[in-house]
Amino acid sequence: MAFEQNLVMIFIFIVLGILASQATSRASYKANSIADKHEQWMAKHGRIYRDSKEKERRFAIFKKNVEFVEKFNSEGNATYTLSVNKFSDMTNEEFLRHHAGFKMPTTVSSSTTSSSEDQLSTKQSGPNNTTSDDIPASIDWREHGAVTPIKDQGKCGACWAFTVVAAVEGITKIKTGKLISLSEQQLVDCDVQNNGCDASDIDVAFEYIKQNGGIAKEKNYPYRGNNNKKCNAKKESQHAAKITGYRTIPTQRYDLLLMAVSIQPVSVAIDVQGDAFQSYHKGVFSGSCGHDVNHAVTIIGYGTNEDGTKYWLVKNSWGLDWGDNGYMKILRANLSTTGPSLSEGHCGLNLYAYYPTA
């Protein structure tokens, strides 16, 4: 009897040993797999670290971000998916420090007139003879040729310049029929009321373009992504597009924002805090975010998914590797079914919105 009990115990120990070995092997394989992914990721993005200590630290961040993405996608219960991208070896704090750049305005400039609501309420023709009484169910300004290809602000916090340029590119195409890629670097260098690669105001940038008499082409004043504040006066005067001013959409007025986007691309502020936003890939983003807006993007359309989820279509300035080839769909929040909405919008999108006039 004792002999049989000993055999049973030996068998149990053997099984436990095998299971423990398999678990260790799986853990080791997973670690090696992520290490391989990191090496491949480094090669793809040309990432070189200054020493082994820095590489070890970046790998730990990368590993954490990869595990977050894989766990989120495996749960499969969200309206969007995540992916590893060029920001995956950065903490969210580092990501925000280098790739945001919106400053909430403290004053209202002269071009921000009280007639913005009246202007939107007046019948205006948009694509397909759209008026304020006949807002289309969806629109994508790319389909009307009013959106230039995705650009990349790099580690310069000039999102404010990119959204202003995108909005001016849009209205220029709508008014003249010509899509012209315009210069963000001119705003970074020459708009002395703003802060270059540091957080700045959207409305101040529109005012600069108006007062300057226009803005140059991208190819004539190309983007460098630096903050030396040396304005090239000769290039600054080579105007390729101009505006007569701009309008501010009243805070939290979803209805007026929707009307404006049906007429032209609109510059907005957004809160991009959170690991989910940093790793966004596809689908309608409905993830965690606040209303402390810290970034600027351009709404270039809107629509409704097959499941009935309403979204804004957003053009970002983080290159093609982020999001859906540089674009994003984000929940189109409207808390009011009758009368004007007073919603702050998902991630604060209804708080600060501007569009140029031409």
Side-chain angles (χ1 to χ4, degrees):
M1 187 70 177
F3 177 73
E4 292 177 350
Q5 289 177 339
N6 287 338
L7 285 178
V8 171
M9 293 298 295
I10 292 171
F11 176 76
I12 291 173
F13 281 128
I14 291 173
V15 171
L16 291 174
I18 292 172
L19 292 174
S21 176
Q22 290 176 340
T24 301
S25 177
R26 284 195 297 269
S28 176
Y29 174 79
K30 184 176 181 181
N32 290 336
S33 176
I34 294 180
D36 290 342
K37 285 182 179 179
H38 188 223
E39 292 293 337
Q40 294 167 5
W41 178 90
M42 288 173 60
K44 176 181 178 180
H45 297 287
R47 192 76 89 248
I48 300 174
Y49 302 118
R50 63 175 178 266
D51 53 36
S52 58
K53 186 176 181 180
E54 174 67 7
K55 183 177 180 180
E56 183 179 350
R57 188 173 81 87
R58 290 296 165 189
F59 171 71
I61 297 170
F62 179 84
K63 181 174 182 291
K64 180 180 178 182
N65 286 334
V66 168
E67 290 173 345
F68 172 76
V69 166
E70 291 178 347
K71 181 177 184 297
F72 180 91
N73 288 340
S74 67
E75 292 171 350
N77 55 4
T79 57
Y80 62 100
T81 59
L82 307 179
S83 69
V84 173
N85 59 34
K86 65 182 179 182
F87 304 124
S88 294
D89 71 340
M90 303 176 71
T91 66
N92 193 240
E93 291 75 16
E94 291 172 322
F95 168 71
L96 293 174
R97 186 164 62 248
H98 292 296
H99 299 285
F102 172 76
K103 183 178 72 174
M104 287 186 282
T106 55
T107 60
V108 178
S109 63
S110 59
S111 287
T112 313
T113 68
S114 59
S115 64
S116 58
E117 183 171 351
D118 294 336
Q119 185 190 33
L120 285 171
S121 299
T122 302
K123 287 189 176 183
Q124 302 180 56
S125 294
N128 303 318
N129 296 318
T130 300
T131 70
S132 58
D133 296 325
D134 184 27
I135 297 174
S138 65
I139 193 165
D140 182 343
W141 281 107
R142 294 175 298 184
E143 297 175 355
H144 297 275
V147 182
T148 57
I150 289 293
K151 302 179 183 182
D152 192 343
Q153 69 187 71
K155 288 189 175 182
C156 170
C159 59
W160 58 274
F162 281 81
T163 186
V164 165
V165 161
V168 174
E169 290 169 343
I171 192 63
T172 300
K173 165 62 178 179
I174 292 166
K175 293 293 186 179
T176 69
K178 298 178 181 179
L179 181 63
I180 305 169
S181 183
L182 301 173
S183 175
E184 294 83 13
Q185 192 64 46
Q186 179 180 337
L187 294 178
V188 172
D189 290 350
C190 305
D191 180 3
V192 295
Q193 300 302 314
N194 267 321
N195 303 307
C197 287
D198 298 320
S200 297
D201 294 340
I202 293 173
D203 56 340
V204 172
F206 280 127
E207 185 69 19
Y208 161 79
I209 296 174
K210 175 190 173 184
Q211 296 298 331
N212 187 59
I215 186 169
K217 291 181 180 179
E218 174 84 27
K219 68 178 183 180
N220 290 342
Y221 204 145
Y223 187 66
R224 299 186 311 273
N226 59 24
N227 203 20
N228 60 21
K229 275 293 183 183
K230 293 181 180 179
C231 178
N232 187 316
K234 182 178 179 180
K235 293 180 179 180
E236 182 189 25
S237 63
Q238 296 173 353
H239 304 150
K242 63 181 180 178
I243 61 175
T244 58
Y246 70 95
R247 295 288 184 270
T248 299
I249 297 172
T251 296
Q252 302 184 54
R253 286 298 299 273
Y254 164 88
D255 55 328
L256 295 181
L257 177 56
L258 182 66
M259 191 182 299
V261 178
S262 76
I263 296 169
Q264 65 190 87
V266 175
S267 297
V268 296
I270 187 172
D271 184 340
V272 299
Q273 297 181 66
D275 295 333
F277 206 109
Q278 180 176 335
S279 299
Y280 167 79
H281 179 45
K282 285 186 177 181
V284 180
F285 183 77
S286 55
S288 176
C289 55
H291 299 102
D292 294 327
V293 289
N294 52 10
H295 184 54
V297 295
T298 312
I299 300 181
I300 60 163
Y302 57 83
T304 305
N305 269 5
E306 292 180 358
D307 63 0
T309 304
K310 294 181 178 181
Y311 63 83
W312 294 114
L313 180 60
V314 167
K315 181 186 184 184
N316 205 348
S317 53
W318 291 339
L320 293 169
D321 187 60
W322 177 88
D324 190 357
N325 293 313
Y327 295 95
M328 176 186 223
K329 290 180 179 179
I330 186 169
L331 190 65
R332 180 158 50 104
N334 175 15
L335 300 183
S336 175
T337 55
T338 59
S341 167
L342 294 180
S343 167
E344 293 180 335
H346 196 62
C347 301
L349 273 182
N350 296 352
L351 291 175
Y352 298 97
Y354 312 84
Y355 60 95
T357 57

